[in-house]
Amino acid sequence: DRYGADTARLFVMFASPPEQTLEWSGAGVEGAHRFLRRLWAYGHAQSARLAADAAPPDAAALAPAHKALRREIHTVLRQATYDYQRLQYNTVVSAAMKMLNALESAKLPEGPASAATVRECLSILLRALYPVVPHVTHALWTQLGYAAAHGDLLDAPWPQVEESALARDEIELVLQINGKVRGAVTVPADADRAAIEAAALASDAFARHA
C-alpha cells in the first residue's frame, strides 16, 4: 500500500537468489523505491531529447562518450541475459542498476548522436527490467514514445547484444618490468606485437624503472 507492487517485486527479486530465503527489510524496500524513483526521474528528464530523434545510432557519428556508454550497456546486457536464463533475478536487478548508473553518469553533448544513443540504451534498460517491474517500465515505455515507435512493451523482444558496440578502439595492457607490475600502457586495439613493444619502451614507467 505504501510503495506499490513494483517496489515489492524489485526488493524481493534483488534481496536474494530465488532458491534462498530472504529477510524482509524496511531499508531494503526503501532502497528499491529510491531506485525506481531515479529511473522515473531520469526517463522524464530525457523526454525532450528522446522526442528529438528516433533513429538508431549511426556508428560513424558516435564520439568516444557515445561509444563508451553503448559498450557499457551492451556489456551489462550480455551478463543480464545470461543471468535471466539461469533464473538469477537478483543479479539481473543489479545489472539494471548498473545500466541506470551508466546512463546517469554519461557526459553526452547535445545532438542527434546523443539522442539516438540514449534512446537505444534506455530502451535496453526498460526491456531488461520489464519482467521485474512491469508497471513503471510500461508507463515509461509509453510516455517516452517507445510504444508509438515499436509497439507495446509486452510484445517487445528481449534486447540483443550488439557485438560491434563491444569493440574497443584502444586497450590497456599491464606493463611489467623485471617481474614487477609498473603501470599500464594504452595501445590501439589492433596493434601488433612490435607496436605494443614500442609503446611500452616509450612509456614513462619504462623510463623510470628499466
Side-chain angles (χ1 to χ4, degrees):
D1 290 342
R2 181 175 178 184
Y3 294 106
D6 276 353
T7 294
R9 290 170 61 94
L10 184 70
F11 167 72
V12 169
M13 294 188 187
F14 181 55
S16 72
E19 72 277 5
Q20 298 182 13
T21 59
L22 69 87
E23 183 177 343
W24 189 263
S25 164
V29 174
E30 180 62 37
H33 189 61
R34 284 197 302 270
F35 169 75
L36 292 180
R37 291 178 63 181
R38 283 174 52 207
L39 175 64
W40 186 267
Y42 177 83
H44 283 281
Q46 299 295 321
S47 58
R49 174 182 268 174
L50 296 178
D53 187 2
D58 177 8
L62 297 182
H66 303 128
K67 293 179 180 179
L69 177 58
R70 294 187 74 229
R71 181 166 54 248
E72 185 163 2
I73 294 296
H74 280 271
T75 298
V76 176
L77 172 61
R78 182 166 58 182
Q79 183 62 47
T81 301
Y82 176 69
D83 290 339
Y84 254 131
Q85 294 168 347
R86 298 188 304 140
L87 305 182
Q88 294 297 307
Y89 303 123
N90 57 316
T91 51
V92 172
V93 174
S94 176
M97 293 176 174
K98 291 178 182 178
M99 289 184 189
L100 182 59
N101 289 341
L103 282 162
E104 288 178 329
S105 61
K107 305 298 183 183
L108 304 180
E110 291 300 323
S114 293
T117 300
V118 170
R119 172 168 287 277
E120 177 201 22
C121 294
L122 184 55
S123 165
I124 291 172
L125 170 55
L126 292 178
R127 283 181 285 165
L129 200 53
Y130 175 60
V132 181
V133 288
H135 306 93
V136 168
T137 51
H138 187 275
L140 285 171
W141 184 267
T142 302
Q143 294 173 17
L144 298 178
Y146 289 110
H150 306 292
D152 193 87
L153 182 55
L154 177 64
D155 301 318
W158 180 260
Q160 299 298 308
V161 175
E162 187 174 323
E163 294 298 330
S164 62
L166 303 178
R168 293 178 177 270
D169 295 330
E170 294 181 327
I171 57 174
E172 186 177 72
L173 300 175
V174 172
L175 187 61
Q176 185 171 307
I177 301 172
N178 296 327
K180 295 183 179 180
V181 175
R182 297 298 189 181
V185 60
T186 301
V187 298
D190 58 354
D192 59 17
R193 182 185 182 89
I196 293 172
E197 290 179 348
L201 293 174
S203 67
D204 292 338
F206 181 81
R208 291 195 306 270
H209 300 285

